[in-house]
């Protein structure tokens, strides 16, 4: 590489934050495509750093042939696109010059990638995640159960939990054996030795003074839950009330009426009364039980109090909305703690549950038909469970388990045992993508259509392929672009695509962390489980609206609507919203709400329990909105100093400025802090504010490209001024999730094509999904 070429490009990649000194006197060479003046004006050298110390070294690569060093130049491109060079405060090229430099590099690299594609190689075997396992059981057996008590949580990598799932330890296999036993028995409604008990517990910080969505009007508190009853028979239902640390039922100062409902119909009405003078509360809820007949299958079970009055207690101050803690905001009425189901008693059989209707595609009329029918049942189950056509080898082991058990316990016991064997088979527990034997090493090859169908279904549904999709794959039709696009659009229209929100988006946006967020109760006494659930529901409904209505991905940032119920509307100071029902409301563009950056869920998971964190919020935006995550801090970096009574009060901005005096801290904080400051008008639980501890809030900041803003609205506009950066980040997150592996430099050409193609359709959600499904990394794989 010419000395001039090296200098021309070095200014982009010398370490961020270094001191830039003199303008480079070396002229650009005639052989390079870009204007000479571009480099003559903007080429700098660094007096306290050199190429060997920088993140990238260009002295060994040729700028006239970027395709020969794709990894290096893809890193340069990322810095160019985000305007990370030259440093802020130094003269910068105009947009046209930036775009010309980027276009030169991208066109060269993308042409080379088209002729020599590298689709990467996800692991050959990837175990179903806990979420995928639950969804597959639901779609295979019609049984929706919470598997969190059966299987451990999956570890995350690259932001998602479907990547580091290649191993199956003996301990984990034991968990799968136990889960298979419980699921197969429940699905078939097989009898157990004695009545079994299940207790459904409500969160301790759930306020129960008002109506709960899903329960009858005119009621307050309580819960509505889904429960699968294994057999027809009698079941004992018992309710328990919430007690404080002194074992007293809070708020029990008069008689209350408590209703128990099954599938929306009243089952039993109870009176709950305070104990007689001098007695304790041990017996006040012991009579809250009843035994009733229930048909096998899933049912909706609910318990709630009849609301006696809506009058508010008189107070000089506005009363807290949260009532669950005896020390700070005690309950004014009794609350439900748990619902326990015990049974069945006097079971009369498995009934006709949805699971049995799915499993028993035939039923023998006598013993001579049992084996033939079992073969039909198991063939259907195995084909769907293994997500491919099957042969005699696949049937051999389940049929063996069936026969051995049937001879001693009967036909249905044999089917149950065979199902148990299917549920622990590696072809069920793992997604397996085998390399064809005739493929040479280090060669890109198209996935089989069977494997493509599984990739597609686990991407969009986090579950197994439908019979229609699998049939298209078997017939060889999925290579037809029109057929593939029709299947994708049909899948997006199916409610199973909700997994794009409740599995993909909740991991991308860190929404799973909301369940464990515990803001300081002294500083935020109105934060309870009701508010937590409302925040999560708002974001879920908002994301679902983008998916179902096929809106532009940019609407995630710029939407002029949201979803609220009364509790969340009060939290946001939005008037005239009443009741527990969530509804879509329009927002004025000058309001403090609109788009993900103003959602209480996002603002809470990016805060500390006692205060906001511009650092955490800035890092969240860099990582999840702009796609440039900062590096982890060094191990010896000191914590941010907190204010104390013996020191001068400093705002968070002032303390962070002091923190950045440490050079080891400054490099990353100079990137994160200016972005996070824009959200300082939102407190640690997402309420709007203009003052923090008596000081007026300064919400001004800047992006890496030097653009300035003041507050969340201007930050939002600054992000939308270059929408391709956000769209690229969403595409990278989607592709990581779809492939089940971290992205590499060789994936960048495919990402650029997806983003560029989607631009023509205003970045609609379906355009991104179709682009990913049609991309080289999704359609192909590389051999070892």
């Amino acid at each position: 590489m010419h000395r001039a070429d090296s200098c021309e490009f070095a200014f982009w990649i010398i370490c961020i934050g270094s001191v830039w000194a003199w303008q480079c006197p070396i002229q650009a060479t005639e052989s390079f495509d870009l204007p000479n003046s571009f480099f003559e004006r903007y080429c700098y050298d660094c007096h306290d750093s050199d190429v060997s110390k920088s993140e990238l070294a260009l002295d060994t690569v040729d700028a006239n042939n970027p395709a020969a060093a794709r990894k290096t130049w893809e890193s340069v491109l990322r810095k160019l696109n985000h305007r990370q060079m030259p440093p802020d405060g130094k003269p910068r090229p105009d947009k046209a010059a930036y775009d010309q430099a980027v276009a030169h590099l991208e066109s060269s690299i993308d042409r080379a990638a088209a002729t020599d594609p590298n689709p990467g190689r996800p692991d050959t075997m990837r175990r179903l995640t806990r979420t995928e396992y639950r969804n597959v059981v639901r779609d295979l057996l019609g049984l929706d159960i919470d598997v969190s008590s059966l299987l451990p949580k999956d570890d995350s990598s690259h932001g998602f939990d479907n990547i580091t799932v290649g191993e199956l330890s003996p301990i984990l296999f034991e968990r799968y054996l136990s889960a298979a036993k419980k699921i197969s028995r429940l699905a078939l409604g097989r009898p157990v030795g004695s009545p079994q008990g299940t207790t459904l517990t409500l969160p301790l910080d759930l306020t129960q003074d008002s109506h709960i969505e899903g329960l009858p009007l005119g009621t307050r508190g309580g819960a509505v839950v889904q429960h699968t009853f294994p057999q027809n028979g009698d079941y004992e239902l018992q309710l328990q009330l919430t007690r404080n640390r002194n074992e007293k039922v809070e708020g029990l100062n008069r008689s209350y009426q408590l209703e128990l409902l099954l599938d929306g119909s009243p089952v039993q009405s109870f009176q709950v009364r305070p104990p007689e003078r001098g007695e304790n509360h041990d017996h006040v809820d012991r009579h809250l039980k009843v035994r009733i007949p229930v048909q096998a299958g899933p049912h909706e079970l609910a318990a709630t109090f009849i609301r006696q009055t809506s009058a508010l207690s008189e107070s000089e101050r506005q009363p807290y909305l949260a009532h669950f803690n005896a020390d700070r905001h005690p309950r004014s009425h009794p609350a439900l703690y748990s619902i326990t189901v015990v049974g069945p008693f006097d079971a009369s059989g498995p009934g006709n549950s949805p699971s049995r209707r799915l499993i028993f595609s035939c039923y023998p009329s006598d013993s001579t038909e049992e084996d033939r029918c079992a073969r039909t049942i198991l063939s259907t189950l195995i084909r769907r469970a293994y997500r491919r056509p099957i042969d005699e080898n696949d049937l051999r082991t389940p049929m063996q388990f069936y026969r051995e058990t049937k001879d001693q316990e009967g036909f249905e016991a044999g089917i149950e045992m065979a199902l148990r064997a299917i549920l622990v088979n590696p072809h069920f527990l793992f997604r397996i993508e085998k390399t064809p034997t005739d493929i040479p090493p280090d060669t890109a090859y198209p996935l089989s259509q069977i494997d493509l169908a599984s990739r597609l279904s686990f991407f969009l549904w986090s579950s197994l392929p439908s019979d229609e999709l699998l049939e298209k794959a078997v017939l060889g039709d999925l290579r037809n672009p029109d057929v593939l696009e029709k299947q994708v659009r049909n899948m997006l229209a199916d409610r199973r695509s909700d997994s794009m929100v409740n599995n993909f988006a909740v991991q991308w946006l860190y929404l799973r962390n909301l369940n464990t967020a515990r803001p300081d109760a002294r500083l935020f006494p109105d934060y309870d489980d009701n508010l937590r659930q409302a925040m999560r529901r708002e974001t879920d409904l908002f994301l679902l609206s983008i998916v179902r209505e096929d809106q532009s991905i940019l609407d995630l940032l710029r939407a002029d609507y949201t979803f609220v119920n009364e509790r969340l509307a009060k939290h946001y100071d939005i008037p005239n919203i009443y009741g527990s029902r969530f509804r879509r409301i329009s927002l004025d563009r000058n309001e403090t709400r609109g788009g993900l950056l103003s959602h209480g869920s996002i603002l809470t998971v990016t805060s500390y329990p006692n205060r906001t964190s511009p650092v955490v919020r800035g890092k969240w935006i860099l990582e999840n909105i702009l796609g440039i995550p900062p590096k982890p801090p060094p191990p010896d970096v000191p914590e941010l100093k907190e204010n104390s009574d013996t020191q001068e009060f400093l705002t968070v901005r002032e303390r962070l400025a002091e923190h950045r005096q440490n050079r080891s801290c400054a490099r990353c904080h100079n990137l994160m802090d200016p972005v996070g400051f824009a959200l300082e008008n939102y407190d640690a639980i997402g309420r709007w504010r203009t003052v923090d501890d008596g000081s007026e809030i300064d919400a001004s900041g800047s992006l890496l490209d030097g653009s300035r803003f003041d507050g969340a609205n201007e930050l939002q506009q600054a992000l939308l001024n270059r929408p391709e950066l956000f769209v690229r980040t969403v595409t990278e997150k989607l592709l990581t999730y779809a492939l089940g592996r971290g992205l590499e430099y060789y994936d960048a050409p495919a990402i650029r094509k997806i983003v560029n193609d989607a631009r023509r359709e205003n970045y609609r959600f379906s355009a991104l999904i179709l682009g990913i499904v049609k991309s080289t990394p999704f359609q192909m794989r590389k051999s070892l």
Side-chain angles (χ1 to χ4, degrees), residues 135 250 301 409 430 446 617 702 756:
N135 291 346
E250 285 187 81
L301 192 59
E409 301 181 47
F430 287 85
R617 288 177 175 176
S702 62
N756 291 334

Side-chain angles (χ1 to χ4, degrees), residues 480-499:
N480 184 320
D482 293 336
V483 172
L484 181 61
E485 179 170 340
K486 182 179 179 181
Q487 287 298 311
V488 170
R489 293 192 182 278
N490 288 344
M491 294 176 73
L492 288 174
D494 191 290
R495 284 304 177 98
R496 282 172 284 187
S497 68
D498 288 358
S499 69

Side-chain angles (χ1 to χ4, degrees), residues 173 202 226 256 280 289 355 368 506 511 513 603 674 723 760:
F173 184 68
L202 279 62
Q226 297 291 326
Y256 291 87
N280 59 33
K289 59 182 173 181
S355 297
T368 61
V506 299
L511 293 177
N513 296 348
L603 296 163
R760 293 192 287 270

Side-chain angles (χ1 to χ4, degrees), residues 73-141:
W73 292 114
E74 286 293 355
S75 296
V76 171
L77 271 170
R78 187 169 286 269
K79 293 181 181 295
L80 282 167
N81 279 317
H82 286 281
R83 309 297 193 253
Q84 290 179 273
M85 289 295 162
D88 192 18
K90 294 292 183 180
R92 287 179 174 240
D94 59 20
K95 181 179 184 301
Y98 267 117
D99 291 346
Q100 193 173 5
V102 168
H104 167 78
L105 294 174
E106 288 183 348
S107 61
S108 176
I109 294 173
D110 291 352
R111 283 195 303 270
T115 58
D116 183 22
N118 184 353
R121 181 183 174 85
D123 290 342
T124 298
M125 296 180 66
R126 284 193 294 128
R127 178 175 45 81
L128 300 183
T129 68
R130 190 165 69 175
T131 299
E132 291 170 344
Y133 185 91
R134 176 178 182 171
N135 291 346
V136 168
V137 168
R138 177 200 65 201
D139 296 339
L140 178 68
L141 303 175

Side-chain angles (χ1 to χ4, degrees), residues 125-128 133 136 140 168 173 176-177 180-181 381-383 385-388 390-399 401 417-432 434:
M125 296 180 66
R126 284 193 294 128
R127 178 175 45 81
L128 300 183
Y133 185 91
V136 168
L140 178 68
L168 183 62
F173 184 68
Y176 278 112
L177 281 172
K181 179 179 180 180
L381 286 173
I382 294 171
R383 184 177 187 270
Y386 296 175
R387 307 172 284 278
R388 58 171 174 76
I390 62 171
D391 55 27
E392 193 62 33
N393 289 331
D394 296 310
L395 271 168
R396 183 175 294 114
T397 299
M399 284 298 294
F401 276 100
M417 190 59 67
L419 176 58
R420 194 181 305 179
I422 294 169
L423 294 180
V424 294
N425 189 286
H427 291 282
F428 172 76
L429 293 177
F430 287 85
R431 295 167 54 194
I432 304 172
K434 293 182 179 179

Side-chain angles (χ1 to χ4, degrees), residues 14-287:
I14 301 295
C15 55
I16 299 171
S18 57
V19 180
W20 292 76
W22 45 273
Q23 191 167 5
C24 176
I26 302 176
Q27 302 298 306
T29 61
E30 293 289 338
S31 61
F32 199 69
D33 294 336
L34 299 179
N36 293 341
S37 60
F38 181 82
F39 299 105
E40 292 172 1
R41 182 175 182 185
Y42 301 111
C43 178
Y44 293 90
D45 198 358
C46 174
H47 74 258
D48 67 345
S49 180
D50 55 36
V51 171
S52 65
K53 295 179 182 177
S54 67
E55 294 177 343
L56 298 169
L58 298 185
D59 54 346
T60 59
V61 295
D62 185 358
N64 292 305
N65 184 20
R70 297 185 199 177
K71 184 174 183 179
T72 298
W73 292 114
E74 286 293 355
S75 296
V76 171
L77 271 170
R78 187 169 286 269
K79 293 181 181 295
L80 282 167
N81 279 317
H82 286 281
R83 309 297 193 253
Q84 290 179 273
M85 289 295 162
D88 192 18
K90 294 292 183 180
R92 287 179 174 240
D94 59 20
K95 181 179 184 301
Y98 267 117
D99 291 346
Q100 193 173 5
V102 168
H104 167 78
L105 294 174
E106 288 183 348
S107 61
S108 176
I109 294 173
D110 291 352
R111 283 195 303 270
T115 58
D116 183 22
N118 184 353
R121 181 183 174 85
D123 290 342
T124 298
M125 296 180 66
R126 284 193 294 128
R127 178 175 45 81
L128 300 183
T129 68
R130 190 165 69 175
T131 299
E132 291 170 344
Y133 185 91
R134 176 178 182 171
N135 291 346
V136 168
V137 168
R138 177 200 65 201
D139 296 339
L140 178 68
L141 303 175
L143 194 63
D144 191 5
I145 62 171
D146 181 7
V147 298
S148 59
S149 62
L150 303 176
L151 300 174
K153 179 182 177 182
D154 300 296
D155 294 330
S156 291
S157 178
H158 300 279
F160 300 99
D161 62 9
N162 64 342
I163 294 176
T164 55
V165 285
E167 298 181 355
L168 183 62
S169 67
I171 294 176
L172 183 55
F173 184 68
E174 288 291 334
R175 299 287 291 271
Y176 278 112
L177 281 172
S178 177
K181 179 179 180 180
K182 179 176 181 177
I183 289 168
S184 59
R185 177 146 295 195
L186 187 59
L188 271 78
R190 295 274 300 144
V192 293
S194 60
Q196 304 292 304
T198 301
T199 298
L200 311 167
T201 305
L202 279 62
L204 288 174
D205 60 346
L206 176 69
T207 297
Q208 300 188 39
D209 286 356
S210 58
H211 179 257
I212 302 291
E213 189 174 14
L215 289 169
L217 296 177
T219 63
R220 65 151 191 91
V224 54
V225 297
Q226 297 291 326
H227 182 73
T228 299
F229 293 80
Q231 289 188 295
N232 295 345
D234 291 343
Y235 291 84
E236 186 176 275
L237 311 177
Q238 182 160 8
L239 311 177
Q240 186 176 358
L241 303 180
T242 302
R243 287 167 163 77
N244 60 22
R245 67 181 66 181
N246 298 319
E247 291 299 316
K248 290 186 177 181
V249 176
E250 285 187 81
L252 186 55
N253 47 31
R254 61 176 184 268
S255 178
Y256 291 87
Q257 185 176 338
L258 180 59
E259 294 290 324
L260 180 64
L261 304 97
L262 184 68
D263 297 328
S265 299
V267 169
Q268 185 73 31
S269 180
F270 302 99
Q271 289 294 321
V272 182
R273 297 181 176 86
E276 297 293 333
R277 184 183 298 273
E279 294 184 1
N280 59 33
H281 287 226
D282 291 349
H283 302 284
V284 296
D285 55 1
R286 287 195 178 178
H287 66 292

